[in-house]
Each structure stands twice: as structure tokens, then as C-alpha cells.
Amino acid sequence: MGVRKKNNQIRFQKRLIAKAKRNIKKLKRAAKAKTSGQKLHELMHEKKA
């Protein structure tokens, strides 16, 4: 196996792990109740159709 292929595989694995960690954090944040500051932020920045 070439060095470049090996390095690319390692990078790919790291990216997968990082993505999974981000998704877990996102789910944890979504599960928590929103603070009053977050509610205000959403109210002010929500998309108006």
C-alpha cells in the first residue's frame, strides 16, 4: 500500500470520527431544554416566509 493511500485512509477515518462526535453533540444539545437566551435568539432570527 502506498504512503498516500495510507495517509488518505487515516484522514478519512479521522473525519468520520469527528463527524460522529459532532452529531452526538448536536443530539445532546437538541435534547436539552432551551434557555431563555436561545429562545430569544430564535425569535429574532427565525426565517420569515
mmCIF file of all heavy atoms in Angstrom:
data_model
loop_
_atom_site.group_PDB
_atom_site.id
_atom_site.type_symbol
_atom_site.label_atom_id
_atom_site.label_comp_id
_atom_site.label_asym_id
_atom_site.label_seq_id
_atom_site.Cartn_x
_atom_site.Cartn_y
_atom_site.Cartn_z
ATOM 1 N N MET A 1 0.848 -1.185 0.000
ATOM 2 C CA MET A 1 0.000 0.000 0.000
ATOM 3 C C MET A 1 0.886 1.239 0.000
ATOM 4 O O MET A 1 1.856 1.312 0.737
ATOM 5 C CB MET A 1 -0.895 -0.020 1.241
ATOM 6 C CG MET A 1 -1.933 1.089 1.248
ATOM 7 S SD MET A 1 -2.866 1.118 2.780
ATOM 8 C CE MET A 1 -3.795 -0.371 2.633
ATOM 9 N N GLY A 2 0.548 2.189 -0.857
ATOM 10 C CA GLY A 2 1.332 3.421 -0.954
ATOM 11 C C GLY A 2 1.129 4.317 0.249
ATOM 12 O O GLY A 2 0.130 4.225 0.973
ATOM 13 N N VAL A 3 2.076 5.196 0.439
ATOM 14 C CA VAL A 3 2.026 6.129 1.580
ATOM 15 C C VAL A 3 0.816 7.053 1.466
ATOM 16 O O VAL A 3 0.104 7.288 2.445
ATOM 17 C CB VAL A 3 3.338 6.953 1.657
ATOM 18 C CG1 VAL A 3 3.245 8.018 2.739
ATOM 19 C CG2 VAL A 3 4.514 6.037 1.934
ATOM 20 N N ARG A 4 0.572 7.553 0.260
ATOM 21 C CA ARG A 4 -0.538 8.495 0.085
ATOM 22 C C ARG A 4 -1.877 7.828 0.391
ATOM 23 O O ARG A 4 -2.735 8.392 1.064
ATOM 24 C CB ARG A 4 -0.539 9.039 -1.341
ATOM 25 C CG ARG A 4 -1.538 10.189 -1.510
ATOM 26 C CD ARG A 4 -1.595 10.677 -2.920
ATOM 27 N NE ARG A 4 -0.311 11.144 -3.386
ATOM 28 C CZ ARG A 4 -0.018 11.362 -4.666
ATOM 29 N NH1 ARG A 4 -0.922 11.142 -5.595
ATOM 30 N NH2 ARG A 4 1.167 11.785 -5.032
ATOM 31 N N LYS A 5 -2.044 6.610 -0.107
ATOM 32 C CA LYS A 5 -3.295 5.864 0.120
ATOM 33 C C LYS A 5 -3.501 5.631 1.617
ATOM 34 O O LYS A 5 -4.604 5.793 2.144
ATOM 35 C CB LYS A 5 -3.254 4.540 -0.627
ATOM 36 C CG LYS A 5 -4.560 3.780 -0.593
ATOM 37 C CD LYS A 5 -4.512 2.551 -1.467
ATOM 38 C CE LYS A 5 -5.813 1.798 -1.416
ATOM 39 N NZ LYS A 5 -5.750 0.557 -2.194
ATOM 40 N N LYS A 6 -2.412 5.270 2.286
ATOM 41 C CA LYS A 6 -2.476 5.007 3.719
ATOM 42 C C LYS A 6 -2.859 6.278 4.480
ATOM 43 O O LYS A 6 -3.743 6.273 5.348
ATOM 44 C CB LYS A 6 -1.112 4.498 4.185
ATOM 45 C CG LYS A 6 -1.126 3.754 5.486
ATOM 46 C CD LYS A 6 0.225 3.105 5.708
ATOM 47 C CE LYS A 6 0.202 2.195 6.904
ATOM 48 N NZ LYS A 6 1.493 1.545 7.093
ATOM 49 N N ASN A 7 -2.202 7.396 4.125
ATOM 50 C CA ASN A 7 -2.499 8.670 4.774
ATOM 51 C C ASN A 7 -3.938 9.105 4.521
ATOM 52 O O ASN A 7 -4.613 9.610 5.419
ATOM 53 C CB ASN A 7 -1.536 9.764 4.304
ATOM 54 C CG ASN A 7 -0.161 9.619 4.908
ATOM 55 O OD1 ASN A 7 0.000 8.950 5.928
ATOM 56 N ND2 ASN A 7 0.824 10.225 4.288
ATOM 57 N N ASN A 8 -4.407 8.900 3.288
ATOM 58 C CA ASN A 8 -5.785 9.259 2.964
ATOM 59 C C ASN A 8 -6.776 8.435 3.781
ATOM 60 O O ASN A 8 -7.797 8.959 4.236
ATOM 61 C CB ASN A 8 -6.051 9.081 1.472
ATOM 62 C CG ASN A 8 -5.444 10.197 0.650
ATOM 63 O OD1 ASN A 8 -5.096 11.245 1.178
ATOM 64 N ND2 ASN A 8 -5.296 9.965 -0.636
ATOM 65 N N GLN A 9 -6.473 7.159 3.970
ATOM 66 C CA GLN A 9 -7.350 6.314 4.784
ATOM 67 C C GLN A 9 -7.410 6.818 6.217
ATOM 68 O O GLN A 9 -8.479 6.873 6.829
ATOM 69 C CB GLN A 9 -6.843 4.872 4.777
ATOM 70 C CG GLN A 9 -7.336 4.080 3.601
ATOM 71 C CD GLN A 9 -7.007 2.609 3.737
ATOM 72 O OE1 GLN A 9 -5.993 2.245 4.332
ATOM 73 N NE2 GLN A 9 -7.842 1.769 3.178
ATOM 74 N N ILE A 10 -6.248 7.182 6.756
ATOM 75 C CA ILE A 10 -6.181 7.687 8.130
ATOM 76 C C ILE A 10 -6.993 8.977 8.247
ATOM 77 O O ILE A 10 -7.786 9.151 9.174
ATOM 78 C CB ILE A 10 -4.716 7.906 8.567
ATOM 79 C CG1 ILE A 10 -4.000 6.554 8.688
ATOM 80 C CG2 ILE A 10 -4.642 8.672 9.885
ATOM 81 C CD1 ILE A 10 -2.486 6.651 8.813
ATOM 82 N N ARG A 11 -6.810 9.872 7.264
ATOM 83 C CA ARG A 11 -7.563 11.140 7.277
ATOM 84 C C ARG A 11 -9.059 10.894 7.201
ATOM 85 O O ARG A 11 -9.842 11.531 7.902
ATOM 86 C CB ARG A 11 -7.131 12.031 6.110
ATOM 87 C CG ARG A 11 -5.790 12.658 6.315
ATOM 88 C CD ARG A 11 -5.554 13.770 5.299
ATOM 89 N NE ARG A 11 -4.154 14.164 5.353
ATOM 90 C CZ ARG A 11 -3.267 13.934 4.391
ATOM 91 N NH1 ARG A 11 -3.632 13.346 3.275
ATOM 92 N NH2 ARG A 11 -2.026 14.316 4.532
ATOM 93 N N PHE A 12 -9.457 9.958 6.336
ATOM 94 C CA PHE A 12 -10.869 9.636 6.162
ATOM 95 C C PHE A 12 -11.470 9.128 7.472
ATOM 96 O O PHE A 12 -12.556 9.542 7.873
ATOM 97 C CB PHE A 12 -11.034 8.590 5.054
ATOM 98 C CG PHE A 12 -12.460 8.209 4.790
ATOM 99 C CD1 PHE A 12 -13.310 9.085 4.138
ATOM 100 C CD2 PHE A 12 -12.957 6.982 5.182
ATOM 101 C CE1 PHE A 12 -14.631 8.735 3.890
ATOM 102 C CE2 PHE A 12 -14.271 6.629 4.946
ATOM 103 C CZ PHE A 12 -15.106 7.514 4.287
ATOM 104 N N GLN A 13 -10.741 8.233 8.156
ATOM 105 C CA GLN A 13 -11.215 7.703 9.439
ATOM 106 C C GLN A 13 -11.377 8.812 10.465
ATOM 107 O O GLN A 13 -12.356 8.861 11.198
ATOM 108 C CB GLN A 13 -10.240 6.645 9.968
ATOM 109 C CG GLN A 13 -10.276 5.334 9.215
ATOM 110 C CD GLN A 13 -11.624 4.645 9.276
ATOM 111 O OE1 GLN A 13 -12.317 4.700 10.281
ATOM 112 N NE2 GLN A 13 -12.006 4.014 8.178
ATOM 113 N N LYS A 14 -10.390 9.718 10.520
ATOM 114 C CA LYS A 14 -10.460 10.835 11.474
ATOM 115 C C LYS A 14 -11.674 11.717 11.202
ATOM 116 O O LYS A 14 -12.351 12.168 12.122
ATOM 117 C CB LYS A 14 -9.180 11.669 11.418
ATOM 118 C CG LYS A 14 -8.018 11.025 12.131
ATOM 119 C CD LYS A 14 -6.802 11.928 12.133
ATOM 120 C CE LYS A 14 -5.660 11.268 12.880
ATOM 121 N NZ LYS A 14 -4.440 12.078 12.849
ATOM 122 N N ARG A 15 -11.934 11.953 9.890
ATOM 123 C CA ARG A 15 -13.098 12.771 9.533
ATOM 124 C C ARG A 15 -14.389 12.092 9.950
ATOM 125 O O ARG A 15 -15.309 12.749 10.444
ATOM 126 C CB ARG A 15 -13.115 13.049 8.028
ATOM 127 C CG ARG A 15 -12.246 14.219 7.616
ATOM 128 C CD ARG A 15 -12.642 14.750 6.251
ATOM 129 N NE ARG A 15 -12.458 13.757 5.199
ATOM 130 C CZ ARG A 15 -11.338 13.595 4.495
ATOM 131 N NH1 ARG A 15 -10.300 14.364 4.720
ATOM 132 N NH2 ARG A 15 -11.264 12.672 3.565
ATOM 133 N N LEU A 16 -14.481 10.772 9.747
ATOM 134 C CA LEU A 16 -15.680 10.029 10.152
ATOM 135 C C LEU A 16 -15.918 10.140 11.655
ATOM 136 O O LEU A 16 -17.044 10.375 12.104
ATOM 137 C CB LEU A 16 -15.544 8.548 9.787
ATOM 138 C CG LEU A 16 -15.881 8.132 8.377
ATOM 139 C CD1 LEU A 16 -15.762 6.627 8.237
ATOM 140 C CD2 LEU A 16 -17.286 8.549 7.999
ATOM 141 N N ILE A 17 -14.840 9.963 12.421
ATOM 142 C CA ILE A 17 -14.946 10.034 13.879
ATOM 143 C C ILE A 17 -15.378 11.434 14.302
ATOM 144 O O ILE A 17 -16.267 11.599 15.138
ATOM 145 C CB ILE A 17 -13.609 9.638 14.542
ATOM 146 C CG1 ILE A 17 -13.332 8.142 14.291
ATOM 147 C CG2 ILE A 17 -13.629 9.929 16.039
ATOM 148 C CD1 ILE A 17 -11.901 7.724 14.584
ATOM 149 N N ALA A 18 -14.769 12.455 13.696
ATOM 150 C CA ALA A 18 -15.112 13.839 14.030
ATOM 151 C C ALA A 18 -16.578 14.128 13.724
ATOM 152 O O ALA A 18 -17.271 14.774 14.513
ATOM 153 C CB ALA A 18 -14.211 14.801 13.272
ATOM 154 N N LYS A 19 -17.046 13.614 12.583
ATOM 155 C CA LYS A 19 -18.440 13.830 12.190
ATOM 156 C C LYS A 19 -19.377 13.167 13.190
ATOM 157 O O LYS A 19 -20.390 13.752 13.589
ATOM 158 C CB LYS A 19 -18.666 13.266 10.783
ATOM 159 C CG LYS A 19 -20.009 13.601 10.196
ATOM 160 C CD LYS A 19 -20.126 13.088 8.777
ATOM 161 C CE LYS A 19 -21.446 13.515 8.163
ATOM 162 N NZ LYS A 19 -21.598 12.977 6.804
ATOM 163 N N ALA A 20 -19.050 11.946 13.582
ATOM 164 C CA ALA A 20 -19.881 11.225 14.549
ATOM 165 C C ALA A 20 -19.943 11.983 15.876
ATOM 166 O O ALA A 20 -21.016 12.106 16.478
ATOM 167 C CB ALA A 20 -19.334 9.827 14.764
ATOM 168 N N LYS A 21 -18.791 12.503 16.320
ATOM 169 C CA LYS A 21 -18.768 13.256 17.573
ATOM 170 C C LYS A 21 -19.630 14.508 17.473
ATOM 171 O O LYS A 21 -20.357 14.851 18.409
ATOM 172 C CB LYS A 21 -17.330 13.649 17.926
ATOM 173 C CG LYS A 21 -16.521 12.509 18.509
ATOM 174 C CD LYS A 21 -15.124 12.969 18.873
ATOM 175 C CE LYS A 21 -14.300 11.815 19.414
ATOM 176 N NZ LYS A 21 -12.915 12.214 19.665
ATOM 177 N N ARG A 22 -19.556 15.192 16.327
ATOM 178 C CA ARG A 22 -20.378 16.399 16.134
ATOM 179 C C ARG A 22 -21.855 16.047 16.188
ATOM 180 O O ARG A 22 -22.659 16.773 16.800
ATOM 181 C CB ARG A 22 -20.058 17.059 14.787
ATOM 182 C CG ARG A 22 -18.811 17.915 14.801
ATOM 183 C CD ARG A 22 -18.771 18.848 13.607
ATOM 184 N NE ARG A 22 -18.831 18.156 12.336
ATOM 185 C CZ ARG A 22 -17.773 17.679 11.675
ATOM 186 N NH1 ARG A 22 -16.562 17.825 12.168
ATOM 187 N NH2 ARG A 22 -17.930 17.078 10.511
ATOM 188 N N ASN A 23 -22.225 14.929 15.551
ATOM 189 C CA ASN A 23 -23.627 14.515 15.545
ATOM 190 C C ASN A 23 -24.117 14.191 16.950
ATOM 191 O O ASN A 23 -25.242 14.533 17.318
ATOM 192 C CB ASN A 23 -23.826 13.316 14.624
ATOM 193 C CG ASN A 23 -23.734 13.704 13.174
ATOM 194 O OD1 ASN A 23 -23.839 14.879 12.829
ATOM 195 N ND2 ASN A 23 -23.511 12.736 12.316
ATOM 196 N N ILE A 24 -23.275 13.541 17.737
ATOM 197 C CA ILE A 24 -23.639 13.205 19.116
ATOM 198 C C ILE A 24 -23.861 14.488 19.918
ATOM 199 O O ILE A 24 -24.851 14.621 20.642
ATOM 200 C CB ILE A 24 -22.561 12.310 19.764
ATOM 201 C CG1 ILE A 24 -22.578 10.915 19.120
ATOM 202 C CG2 ILE A 24 -22.777 12.205 21.268
ATOM 203 C CD1 ILE A 24 -21.368 10.063 19.454
ATOM 204 N N LYS A 25 -22.950 15.451 19.753
ATOM 205 C CA LYS A 25 -23.093 16.730 20.459
ATOM 206 C C LYS A 25 -24.384 17.427 20.055
ATOM 207 O O LYS A 25 -25.104 17.980 20.888
ATOM 208 C CB LYS A 25 -21.903 17.653 20.152
ATOM 209 C CG LYS A 25 -20.675 17.348 20.950
ATOM 210 C CD LYS A 25 -19.586 18.369 20.672
ATOM 211 C CE LYS A 25 -18.312 18.014 21.380
ATOM 212 N NZ LYS A 25 -17.215 18.935 21.059
ATOM 213 N N LYS A 26 -24.674 17.388 18.744
ATOM 214 C CA LYS A 26 -25.876 18.033 18.230
ATOM 215 C C LYS A 26 -27.125 17.407 18.858
ATOM 216 O O LYS A 26 -28.052 18.119 19.265
ATOM 217 C CB LYS A 26 -25.912 17.880 16.707
ATOM 218 C CG LYS A 26 -26.370 19.109 15.963
ATOM 219 C CD LYS A 26 -26.407 18.875 14.465
ATOM 220 C CE LYS A 26 -25.073 19.164 13.814
ATOM 221 N NZ LYS A 26 -25.089 18.960 12.357
ATOM 222 N N LEU A 27 -27.135 16.069 18.948
ATOM 223 C CA LEU A 27 -28.285 15.381 19.533
ATOM 224 C C LEU A 27 -28.441 15.727 21.011
ATOM 225 O O LEU A 27 -29.558 15.937 21.491
ATOM 226 C CB LEU A 27 -28.123 13.861 19.381
ATOM 227 C CG LEU A 27 -28.336 13.305 17.975
ATOM 228 C CD1 LEU A 27 -27.984 11.833 17.936
ATOM 229 C CD2 LEU A 27 -29.774 13.522 17.531
ATOM 230 N N LYS A 28 -27.317 15.792 21.722
ATOM 231 C CA LYS A 28 -27.373 16.128 23.145
ATOM 232 C C LYS A 28 -27.922 17.533 23.342
ATOM 233 O O LYS A 28 -28.737 17.785 24.221
ATOM 234 C CB LYS A 28 -25.987 16.020 23.785
ATOM 235 C CG LYS A 28 -25.574 14.602 24.087
ATOM 236 C CD LYS A 28 -24.239 14.555 24.795
ATOM 237 C CE LYS A 28 -23.807 13.127 25.072
ATOM 238 N NZ LYS A 28 -22.474 13.069 25.647
ATOM 239 N N ARG A 29 -27.460 18.467 22.490
ATOM 240 C CA ARG A 29 -27.932 19.848 22.592
ATOM 241 C C ARG A 29 -29.417 19.936 22.283
ATOM 242 O O ARG A 29 -30.150 20.698 22.920
ATOM 243 C CB ARG A 29 -27.147 20.748 21.626
ATOM 244 C CG ARG A 29 -26.172 21.646 22.345
ATOM 245 C CD ARG A 29 -25.498 22.608 21.392
ATOM 246 N NE ARG A 29 -24.362 21.936 20.763
ATOM 247 C CZ ARG A 29 -24.052 22.003 19.482
ATOM 248 N NH1 ARG A 29 -24.781 22.720 18.657
ATOM 249 N NH2 ARG A 29 -23.019 21.371 19.008
ATOM 250 N N ALA A 30 -29.866 19.159 21.303
ATOM 251 C CA ALA A 30 -31.280 19.186 20.909
ATOM 252 C C ALA A 30 -32.161 18.616 22.020
ATOM 253 O O ALA A 30 -33.311 19.034 22.184
ATOM 254 C CB ALA A 30 -31.467 18.396 19.621
ATOM 255 N N ALA A 31 -31.613 17.679 22.795
ATOM 256 C CA ALA A 31 -32.399 17.032 23.848
ATOM 257 C C ALA A 31 -32.614 17.965 25.043
ATOM 258 O O ALA A 31 -33.610 17.844 25.752
ATOM 259 C CB ALA A 31 -31.697 15.765 24.306
ATOM 260 N N LYS A 32 -31.674 18.889 25.262
ATOM 261 C CA LYS A 32 -31.791 19.802 26.409
ATOM 262 C C LYS A 32 -32.879 20.838 26.155
ATOM 263 O O LYS A 32 -33.167 21.205 25.016
ATOM 264 C CB LYS A 32 -30.472 20.564 26.618
ATOM 265 C CG LYS A 32 -29.389 19.751 27.272
ATOM 266 C CD LYS A 32 -28.184 20.631 27.528
ATOM 267 C CE LYS A 32 -26.973 19.816 27.913
ATOM 268 N NZ LYS A 32 -25.769 20.656 27.965
ATOM 269 N N ALA A 33 -33.452 21.346 27.237
ATOM 270 C CA ALA A 33 -34.421 22.428 27.127
ATOM 271 C C ALA A 33 -33.679 23.711 26.772
ATOM 272 O O ALA A 33 -32.568 23.947 27.244
ATOM 273 C CB ALA A 33 -35.162 22.586 28.445
ATOM 274 N N LYS A 34 -34.295 24.531 25.927
ATOM 275 C CA LYS A 34 -33.649 25.769 25.506
ATOM 276 C C LYS A 34 -33.658 26.804 26.628
ATOM 277 O O LYS A 34 -34.621 26.911 27.372
ATOM 278 C CB LYS A 34 -34.354 26.335 24.279
ATOM 279 C CG LYS A 34 -34.038 25.590 23.013
ATOM 280 C CD LYS A 34 -34.635 26.282 21.815
ATOM 281 C CE LYS A 34 -34.094 25.772 20.514
ATOM 282 N NZ LYS A 34 -34.052 24.355 20.356
ATOM 283 N N THR A 35 -32.579 27.564 26.713
ATOM 284 C CA THR A 35 -32.519 28.644 27.692
ATOM 285 C C THR A 35 -33.311 29.829 27.151
ATOM 286 O O THR A 35 -33.611 29.889 25.952
ATOM 287 C CB THR A 35 -31.063 29.084 27.946
ATOM 288 O OG1 THR A 35 -30.540 29.619 26.733
ATOM 289 C CG2 THR A 35 -30.211 27.944 28.431
ATOM 290 N N SER A 36 -33.611 30.786 28.009
ATOM 291 C CA SER A 36 -34.383 31.943 27.565
ATOM 292 C C SER A 36 -33.619 32.723 26.500
ATOM 293 O O SER A 36 -34.213 33.264 25.563
ATOM 294 C CB SER A 36 -34.720 32.847 28.754
ATOM 295 O OG SER A 36 -33.545 33.221 29.436
ATOM 296 N N GLY A 37 -32.289 32.764 26.612
ATOM 297 C CA GLY A 37 -31.472 33.469 25.623
ATOM 298 C C GLY A 37 -31.556 32.817 24.251
ATOM 299 O O GLY A 37 -31.622 33.495 23.229
ATOM 300 N N GLN A 38 -31.574 31.484 24.225
ATOM 301 C CA GLN A 38 -31.677 30.768 22.949
ATOM 302 C C GLN A 38 -33.045 30.997 22.304
ATOM 303 O O GLN A 38 -33.162 31.168 21.098
ATOM 304 C CB GLN A 38 -31.450 29.275 23.165
ATOM 305 C CG GLN A 38 -30.003 28.918 23.445
ATOM 306 C CD GLN A 38 -29.845 27.479 23.882
ATOM 307 O OE1 GLN A 38 -30.705 26.927 24.580
ATOM 308 N NE2 GLN A 38 -28.746 26.866 23.493
ATOM 309 N N LYS A 39 -34.092 31.009 23.138
ATOM 310 C CA LYS A 39 -35.440 31.255 22.626
ATOM 311 C C LYS A 39 -35.518 32.639 21.996
ATOM 312 O O LYS A 39 -36.082 32.819 20.918
ATOM 313 C CB LYS A 39 -36.468 31.132 23.744
ATOM 314 C CG LYS A 39 -36.725 29.712 24.194
ATOM 315 C CD LYS A 39 -37.690 29.690 25.348
ATOM 316 C CE LYS A 39 -37.763 28.328 25.994
ATOM 317 N NZ LYS A 39 -38.506 28.365 27.250
ATOM 318 N N LEU A 40 -34.935 33.633 22.675
ATOM 319 C CA LEU A 40 -34.930 34.997 22.173
ATOM 320 C C LEU A 40 -34.185 35.073 20.850
ATOM 321 O O LEU A 40 -34.638 35.695 19.888
ATOM 322 C CB LEU A 40 -34.279 35.933 23.204
ATOM 323 C CG LEU A 40 -34.161 37.398 22.797
ATOM 324 C CD1 LEU A 40 -35.545 38.014 22.691
ATOM 325 C CD2 LEU A 40 -33.326 38.164 23.804
ATOM 326 N N HIS A 41 -33.042 34.411 20.783
ATOM 327 C CA HIS A 41 -32.233 34.403 19.564
ATOM 328 C C HIS A 41 -33.033 33.830 18.398
ATOM 329 O O HIS A 41 -33.048 34.401 17.307
ATOM 330 C CB HIS A 41 -30.962 33.577 19.787
ATOM 331 C CG HIS A 41 -30.070 33.526 18.590
ATOM 332 N ND1 HIS A 41 -29.129 34.484 18.331
ATOM 333 C CD2 HIS A 41 -29.984 32.636 17.581
ATOM 334 C CE1 HIS A 41 -28.512 34.178 17.205
ATOM 335 N NE2 HIS A 41 -29.010 33.055 16.735
ATOM 336 N N GLU A 42 -33.709 32.720 18.634
ATOM 337 C CA GLU A 42 -34.507 32.106 17.584
ATOM 338 C C GLU A 42 -35.652 33.010 17.155
ATOM 339 O O GLU A 42 -35.948 33.137 15.976
ATOM 340 C CB GLU A 42 -35.062 30.756 18.058
ATOM 341 C CG GLU A 42 -34.048 29.645 17.972
ATOM 342 C CD GLU A 42 -34.642 28.288 18.308
ATOM 343 O OE1 GLU A 42 -35.833 28.216 18.681
ATOM 344 O OE2 GLU A 42 -33.891 27.302 18.201
ATOM 345 N N LEU A 43 -36.263 33.658 18.117
ATOM 346 C CA LEU A 43 -37.371 34.559 17.831
ATOM 347 C C LEU A 43 -36.898 35.700 16.931
ATOM 348 O O LEU A 43 -37.571 36.072 15.975
ATOM 349 C CB LEU A 43 -37.927 35.119 19.145
ATOM 350 C CG LEU A 43 -39.220 35.903 19.039
ATOM 351 C CD1 LEU A 43 -40.376 34.921 18.844
ATOM 352 C CD2 LEU A 43 -39.444 36.726 20.293
ATOM 353 N N MET A 44 -35.709 36.235 17.227
ATOM 354 C CA MET A 44 -35.204 37.367 16.474
ATOM 355 C C MET A 44 -34.678 36.966 15.099
ATOM 356 O O MET A 44 -34.708 37.754 14.167
ATOM 357 C CB MET A 44 -34.082 38.077 17.257
ATOM 358 C CG MET A 44 -34.582 38.768 18.501
ATOM 359 S SD MET A 44 -33.251 39.392 19.503
ATOM 360 C CE MET A 44 -32.699 40.765 18.528
ATOM 361 N N HIS A 45 -34.173 35.764 14.959
ATOM 362 C CA HIS A 45 -33.511 35.363 13.715
ATOM 363 C C HIS A 45 -34.264 34.333 12.896
ATOM 364 O O HIS A 45 -33.722 33.847 11.903
ATOM 365 C CB HIS A 45 -32.107 34.812 14.028
ATOM 366 C CG HIS A 45 -31.196 35.845 14.601
ATOM 367 N ND1 HIS A 45 -30.498 36.728 13.830
ATOM 368 C CD2 HIS A 45 -30.883 36.151 15.877
ATOM 369 C CE1 HIS A 45 -29.790 37.532 14.602
ATOM 370 N NE2 HIS A 45 -30.012 37.202 15.854
ATOM 371 N N GLU A 46 -35.470 33.992 13.300
ATOM 372 C CA GLU A 46 -36.197 32.971 12.540
ATOM 373 C C GLU A 46 -36.518 33.487 11.146
ATOM 374 O O GLU A 46 -36.673 34.677 10.914
ATOM 375 C CB GLU A 46 -37.467 32.536 13.265
ATOM 376 C CG GLU A 46 -38.550 33.593 13.310
ATOM 377 C CD GLU A 46 -39.731 33.154 14.123
ATOM 378 O OE1 GLU A 46 -39.674 32.093 14.756
ATOM 379 O OE2 GLU A 46 -40.721 33.901 14.122
ATOM 380 N N LYS A 47 -36.583 32.559 10.214
ATOM 381 C CA LYS A 47 -36.828 32.916 8.815
ATOM 382 C C LYS A 47 -38.298 33.283 8.645
ATOM 383 O O LYS A 47 -39.192 32.552 9.048
ATOM 384 C CB LYS A 47 -36.502 31.734 7.908
ATOM 385 C CG LYS A 47 -35.066 31.251 8.022
ATOM 386 C CD LYS A 47 -34.174 32.037 7.083
ATOM 387 C CE LYS A 47 -32.771 31.530 7.079
ATOM 388 N NZ LYS A 47 -31.937 31.993 8.177
ATOM 389 N N LYS A 48 -38.513 34.432 8.037
ATOM 390 C CA LYS A 48 -39.880 34.865 7.790
ATOM 391 C C LYS A 48 -40.258 34.498 6.355
ATOM 392 O O LYS A 48 -39.569 34.865 5.411
ATOM 393 C CB LYS A 48 -40.020 36.370 8.007
ATOM 394 C CG LYS A 48 -40.260 36.696 9.457
ATOM 395 C CD LYS A 48 -39.312 37.738 9.965
ATOM 396 C CE LYS A 48 -39.576 37.996 11.432
ATOM 397 N NZ LYS A 48 -38.427 37.671 12.230
ATOM 398 N N ALA A 49 -41.364 33.755 6.216
ATOM 399 C CA ALA A 49 -41.762 33.286 4.885
ATOM 400 C C ALA A 49 -42.568 34.337 4.148
ATOM 401 O O ALA A 49 -43.157 35.200 4.709
ATOM 402 C CB ALA A 49 -42.590 32.013 5.026
#
